[in-house]
Amino acid sequence: MNALEIRDLSVYYRTPLGKVKVLDSLDADFPESKTTGIVGESGSGKSTLGFAITRLLPPTAAVEGSIKYYGDDLMKLPAKKMREVRGTGVFMIMQDPFSSLNPVKRVGDQLLEALQVRYERRGEGFDYATARKEALKRLSDVKLPDPDLVMSKYPYQLSGGQIQRVVIAMGLLLEPKVIIADEPTSALDVSIQAQVISLLRELQESYGMTLLFITHDLAVATAVSDNVIILYAGRIMEQGSMADAIRKPLHPYTQGLLKSFPSGNYKEGKLYSLKGLPPSFFDLPSGCRFSDRCPYAFDRCYKEEPQVYRVEDRNVRCFLYDKR
Amino acid sequence: MTSVEKEEATEEYMVRAVDLTKYFPAEKVGLLERLTGKKERYVRAVDHVDMLLRKGLTTALVGESGSGKTTIGRMLATLETPTSGTVYYGDLVLSKQTLSQIRKRVQIVFQNPYESLDPRMSIKEIVEEPLVKIKSEEKEKRVKEVLSAVGLNYDDIYYRKARDLSGGQRQRVAVARAMAADPEFIVLDEPTSALDASVQSQVLNLLVDLREEFGYTYLFITHNMMVARYISDYIYVMYAGKIVETGKTEEVFENPLHPYTKLLLKSVPHLEPGARLEPMSGEAPSLLNPPSGCRFNPRCPFATEKCRQQEPPLVDVQGHKVACHLYDK
Ligand SMILES: Nc1ncnc2c1ncn2[C@@H]1O[C@H](COP(=O)(O)OP(=O)(O)OP(=O)(O)O)[C@@H](O)[C@H]1O
Ligand SMILES: Nc1ncnc2c1ncn2[C@@H]1O[C@H](COP(=O)(O)OP(=O)(O)OP(=O)(O)O)[C@@H](O)[C@H]1O
Ligand code: SF4
Ligand code: SF4
Ligand SMILES: [Mg+2]
Ligand SMILES: [Mg+2]
């Protein structure tokens, strides 16, 4: 069963320089109670995908295609229904965690409100003492010291890493069916990052939650994900099992990312690096969007854009796999 | 003097910090509170640290968020005044009299490429900013030189605003800006954390090349252990304002001795299918009220009574230095 099914999804932004298509005809399934890593460089469209699913795109954006959440097309859902889905159905932990919190309300009150929403939707009565205990428990689950103290603070009184964890705790309190976590650990250092990642995995295993984990770090994605989507310049380049992608990356971009990871010491030699930089949406290369950086590019790559090929249970957008 | 200290004293170094300390006031205490005798409380961000940065080599500084890495970097870049301690730059001791002379030798690349460059300034303005008292034709020549050294084409980029550049380009501009003033020593504070692997590897290669060409000395601050291992010759591991382990990079990685270093290495995500992380338990310690004895003791699986009472000194063990009672003779 798929928690989310995305078909032919495109997102455009209107800008002073004209309209740009930031996501181009995405197809993706997110199987229930699995974690899918969404990996790509800065600006490749990862957050845009999260905002499209939760319908939180700015008014300057336009969307085409369909996003089905357990069969309901979110694009067609009335605003009121969508608000219900957004809390206890699909919850997004934003890349900028401050934007998820109300700056003039104490953290504790905001967590209790979230719990109230959950209790109401389930038709359960709200009991202050129980709710408070549950909130404290989640704050300590995300390794925040002195949860009592944190509850009494306003968001601006906490550091970025602490806010990040408050929002993760809020997401967990809502017990949504799907969590979209946008770079949830990039503001955290390695040891807290590891704690939060293990916590998310644990919860996902015990509650069967579906997780979309957005990150620019393939190593972090490897530690959390069952499946992976590799985005490049608004296109899905590779899609399939995370372990397979690490063991045997198919797309030249995925291969390049893996090879670029630092290992050893500089005295043992240069790090592998792809030439060039990711393209601007205003100036995409003709043909394959990776063609200007690809070590295997050949004539056809500059003329046509490759479609998606099915290879060993994976999808890959590259002519090297065209077996005609 | 121990043998290692003797060796260090004779070795050619760029920067040597002795007993470096930085305390920040934790809360602003008003006049009234001072008159009524309320005591000021301090964040002990850096607490009696010795450091030696060897000339022409790269020293990495790693440790948990909030452990004091940026504060050390800022002090060594002369942007922050130490609470106590002495810093030598070659033959000069940092003081009011030598400050302007030392500043010419030192540059810093800040932690966040999205915040460190003024988004409204043009790239030319950003890069030439540290160049004072230079004729404008010469300025342009220098800007061209350093931009091309970091792999950017002057004509393509000089007029653009920082906000219109990608993360990797901004980081190159920040490095070019640091180079423009012709420094000898550059502090690089998390220069690649915001970059993805393919761009990160470009920037790391570039830094290695530039150092070889211009003989720079780097202090490279990072929380990424694999990056530290790649880029550095020597490494310092910090925990809660203290150095807990230091030595040659390969020795520390091959034979980590301090329990914190060992746990840190285990919580690094690896590119291995199915690998699970082993998170460190417990919380980062308070710097207002650091744990007594060894600061790592509340989280250390080997802590004993002695650890809770006595602070372990940094001593020579198996070819490098470590501050832990497990290695007491
Ligand atoms: N409101 C907007 N108006 C115009 N362009 C936008 C807007 N929001 C994002 N973009 C552009 O759309 C592209 C995708 O942005 P998005 O934020 O989805 O990327 P991302 O993959 O999340 O990047 P990062 O890793 O830096 O967070 C980028 O080129 C960005 O500049
Ligand atoms: N100007 C300041 N005033 C008060 N406290 C400060 C100031 N600058 C830093 N601190 C505190 O000093 C400690 C060390 O901070 P520092 O920025 O050096 O850590 P870091 O190791 O660089 O962390 P990160 O990995 O998060 O960048 C922290 O507790 C921080 O809150
Ligand atoms: S289609 Fe061509 S350019 Fe694109 S990734 Fe494949 S080989 Fe490279
Ligand atoms: S001194 Fe004691 S508490 Fe500190 S790291 Fe060593 S064994 Fe652990
Ligand atoms: Mg984003
Ligand atoms: Mg820092």
Side-chain angles (χ1 to χ4, degrees), chain B residues 24 43 45 64-71 111 190 287:
Chain B
F24 291 108
V43 173
E64 194 149 79
S65 171
S67 58
K69 305 182 296 294
T70 295
T71 307
Q111 191 155 359
E190 308 262 11
L287 296 176

Side-chain angles (χ1 to χ4, degrees), chain B residues 258-260 293-304 306-308 310-312 323-327:
Chain B
H258 198 281
Y260 173 66
C294 170
R295 293 189 179 179
F296 191 55
N297 85 66
R299 302 171 79 179
C300 180
F302 311 105
T304 62
K306 186 176 184 190
C307 304
R308 285 181 272 276
Q310 279 180 38
E311 190 169 320
C324 170
H325 290 308
L326 289 177
Y327 304 93

Side-chain angles (χ1 to χ4, degrees), chain B residues 73-102:
Chain B
R74 290 178 56 87
M75 284 193 283
L76 298 186
T78 71
L79 298 177
E80 195 92 68
T81 316
T83 305
S84 68
T86 317
V87 190
Y88 304 87
Y89 295 83
D91 46 342
L92 294 176
V93 183
L94 180 63
S95 69
K96 266 205 191 89
Q97 289 72 41
T98 57
L99 182 64
S100 66
Q101 225 178 325
I102 289 169

Side-chain angles (χ1 to χ4, degrees), chain B residues 92-159:
Chain B
L92 294 176
V93 183
L94 180 63
S95 69
K96 266 205 191 89
Q97 289 72 41
T98 57
L99 182 64
S100 66
Q101 225 178 325
I102 289 169
R103 280 224 165 127
K104 286 189 203 129
R105 303 186 180 177
V106 180
Q107 283 291 319
I108 183 165
V109 174
F110 292 101
Q111 191 155 359
N112 188 340
Y114 292 93
E115 284 166 12
S116 64
L117 304 179
D118 185 335
R120 289 154 308 178
M121 277 167 79
S122 76
I123 302 311
K124 178 162 183 285
E125 286 163 345
I126 289 172
V127 177
E128 70 185 14
E129 203 183 28
L131 297 174
V132 277
K133 291 190 217 142
I134 290 189
K135 281 200 255 74
S136 71
E137 315 89 80
E138 278 192 34
K139 263 190 198 169
E140 186 172 315
K141 188 166 154 261
R142 184 75 188 139
V143 173
K144 274 186 184 161
E145 260 170 32
V146 291
L147 283 175
S148 93
V150 299
L152 294 171
N153 183 329
Y154 178 84
D155 294 328
D156 284 352
I157 209 164
Y158 77 94
Y159 61 90

Side-chain angles (χ1 to χ4, degrees), chain A residues 13 15 22 41-48 58 60 95 183 281:
Chain A
Y13 286 115
T15 78
V22 161
E41 325 208 48
S42 177
S44 57
K46 305 180 297 293
S47 300
T48 302
T60 52
Q95 187 166 10
E183 302 267 7
F281 283 103

Side-chain angles (χ1 to χ4, degrees), chain A residues 251-253 288-291 294 296-298 301 306 317-320:
Chain A
H251 197 280
Y253 174 59
C288 173
R289 291 184 185 184
F290 188 57
S291 56
C294 181
Y296 309 107
F298 54 103
C301 306
R317 188 184 285 279
C318 170
F319 286 130
L320 296 176

